[in-house]
Amino acid sequence: MQLQDILYTQGFGTRRVCAGLVQQGFVATGGAVVTDPAADLPTDGLRFTVQGAAWEYHDKAYLMLHKPAGTECSQKPSTWPSIYTLLPSPLRLRPNKGAVQGVQAIGRLDQDTTGLLLLTDDGQFIHRMGSPRHHVPKVYEATVKHPLDAAQIERLLAGVVLDDDPKPVRAAAGEAVGPLHLRLPLTEGKYHQVKRMVAAVGNRVEALHRSAIGALALPEDLTPGQWRWLSAAQVQQLRDGR
Ligand code: URA
């Protein structure tokens, strides 16, 4: 692919801006500056720098973010800063044929919830992950106000009725990891689901963290606010519903 097109697909600006970046000597690969915008490069595994900042070519972008507290998962936040401000601008500006520009969060976490959030510009992947037939459990770690008891866990597993649907929602599993620490894997994703389920059994969520989605756990070395590309194997695993 021509270098100017590579930069364009990766979100570095219009085709004209990208050609300009190359001509001005701002783009290097393999340690050498390339000044021909039409230089033909293999994209597979391509690494390059733009004004000194390192980038990896990705045909589609799949990433994980450690969402910090006090951020909204909306492009147009109402009160708190948007999670999208935590991403470098190419990820927000990637062109996406006929679809919304840039990566989108797969589902949302509340403003005060922390933890694993996936983002992508692959519309089919978003659709697949959100499908009710795609039962990848999302694991939540809730710090609760009152000590947990066996009856509360039993009720969460048996199913509780929330105010917007007469059909009970149940946890796929659930365990008291400590007296005030509830681990709750859920396969659905209703609005405020964990907080409402916990409230329905007479307790209260004081803090909420998502530690895993399927087999993908939030890496311990990914600190709040940091993001990372998913590997091809991790994307495949999630696609397969694991
Ligand atoms: N359940 C909640 O209550 N909040 C979240 O952010 C996610 C799941």
Side-chain angles (χ1 to χ4, degrees):
M1 195 188 293
Q2 292 193 350
L3 185 53
Q4 59 190 353
D5 295 331
I6 292 175
L7 295 184
Y8 171 71
T9 60
Q10 301 304 289
F12 285 90
T14 62
R15 288 180 196 280
R16 214 175 145 141
V17 165
C18 291
L21 285 169
V22 180
Q23 279 162 344
Q24 289 168 71
F26 288 142
V27 184
T29 179
V33 173
V34 183
T35 53
D36 177 8
D40 204 6
L41 300 175
T43 53
D44 214 20
L46 179 70
R47 289 165 188 271
F48 54 94
T49 57
V50 178
Q51 293 177 306
W55 203 254
E56 269 176 42
Y57 177 89
H58 286 264
D59 180 27
K60 287 274 172 211
Y62 304 91
L63 38 130
M64 59 170 110
L65 171 73
H66 186 161
K67 181 193 173 293
T71 52
E72 287 184 33
C73 289
S74 166
Q75 301 270 9
K76 294 197 179 103
S78 57
T79 313
W80 304 85
S82 163
I83 51 147
Y84 294 97
T85 63
L86 299 167
L87 303 176
S89 64
L91 286 176
R92 287 181 274 132
L93 298 177
R94 289 169 72 92
N96 202 352
K97 284 180 219 94
V100 195
Q101 188 183 32
V103 296
Q104 312 296 318
I106 305 179
R108 289 185 176 199
L109 293 174
D110 296 337
Q111 165 277 120
D112 52 353
T113 302
T114 59
L116 181 59
L117 188 69
L118 303 180
L119 298 106
T120 182
D121 60 352
D122 179 346
Q124 279 182 349
F125 188 73
I126 296 181
H127 186 73
R128 190 174 173 79
M129 293 296 291
S131 153
R133 281 178 294 132
H134 195 250
H135 291 301
V136 180
K138 300 181 179 75
V139 184
Y140 293 94
E141 314 289 336
T143 305
V144 294
K145 183 165 188 190
H146 310 291
L148 292 155
D149 60 41
Q152 286 176 12
I153 307 279
E154 267 167 39
R155 285 179 63 198
L156 290 167
L157 297 179
V160 295
V161 174
L162 303 179
D163 46 13
D164 59 351
D165 191 349
K167 220 172 94 218
V169 286
R170 48 180 62 87
E175 58 174 314
V177 181
L180 297 176
H181 178 177
L182 171 68
R183 176 166 298 147
L184 205 60
L186 296 180
T187 52
E188 299 163 277
K190 286 176 182 286
Y191 184 64
H192 292 332
Q193 186 165 342
V194 175
K195 291 174 188 167
R196 293 195 296 154
M197 286 179 77
V198 169
V201 302
N203 210 324
R204 187 187 154 89
V205 171
E206 301 267 273
L208 188 58
H209 177 80
R210 185 155 71 189
S211 56
I213 298 177
L216 182 69
L218 181 71
E220 278 182 14
D221 61 350
L222 193 70
T223 58
Q226 281 188 327
W227 69 278
R228 187 173 290 172
W229 297 105
L230 294 182
S231 67
Q234 287 170 327
V235 174
Q236 191 56 47
Q237 206 174 46
L238 290 163
R239 217 178 240 131
D240 293 346
R242 289 181 283 135

